[in-house]
Amino acid sequence: MTQRAVKSVQAFEFRSDFTLPAEPRQPQREQMDLSAPELARLLSEARAEGLAEATRLEATQTEERMQAVTLKLNEALADLVSLARHIETGAYEGLDVAKSLNLINATAQRIIDGQGDLFATR
């Protein structure tokens, strides 16, 4: 039989009811004291960060809206170009092709000129 030397002995609390020992108390949270200038500085930093985040979100929303409007404008202009090609190739009898093309060009110009107004709408 191998023998080991006993180096240390730990106390064992015997319980006849086999319950767990009570959990140790957690340390109390330390209280932090702030002076009025420190609190004012923290509040101003929080306000600045909130304003920066709101500005970023607004810029993102505006950019997304402008991209959607630009896409719709591009589609409208492409439709006008397609219609102009159709009129030129169709050349129906009695159809004044020049007048139709002028109307399409005027409509396209109005769309291009009105882009600023479309971007301002919400």
Side-chain angles (χ1 to χ4, degrees):
M1 197 173 236
T2 308
Q3 292 184 351
R4 284 189 302 182
V6 176
K7 295 181 181 176
S8 67
V9 178
Q10 295 178 350
F12 176 75
E13 182 181 338
F14 178 77
R15 296 173 206 259
S16 61
D17 60 356
F18 300 103
T19 59
L20 293 174
E23 291 187 25
R25 293 180 124 187
Q26 294 190 3
Q28 295 286 338
R29 288 181 17 179
E30 294 182 22
Q31 186 173 357
M32 183 185 307
D33 294 327
L34 294 175
S35 66
E38 290 172 330
L39 182 59
R41 183 180 52 79
L42 286 174
L43 286 174
S44 65
E45 286 177 7
R47 285 183 184 144
E49 289 173 3
L51 178 62
E53 181 64 17
T55 303
R56 187 190 65 76
L57 286 175
E58 184 179 3
T60 301
Q61 291 172 350
T62 301
E63 182 180 345
E64 289 172 356
R65 186 175 49 83
M66 290 178 77
Q67 287 176 351
V69 169
T70 301
L71 181 63
K72 287 183 180 183
L73 283 172
N74 287 340
E75 290 173 358
L77 291 172
D79 289 345
L80 286 174
V81 169
S82 175
L83 180 60
R85 285 188 187 139
H86 179 69
I87 290 173
E88 286 176 343
T89 57
Y92 299 110
E93 282 188 35
L95 181 64
D96 187 1
V97 175
K99 183 177 178 184
S100 298
L101 291 175
N102 287 339
L103 179 61
I104 291 171
N105 288 333
T107 305
Q109 188 61 45
R110 213 173 315 134
I111 289 174
I112 291 171
D113 291 343
Q115 282 184 1
D117 294 336
L118 290 173
F119 285 19
T121 61
R122 290 194 175 224

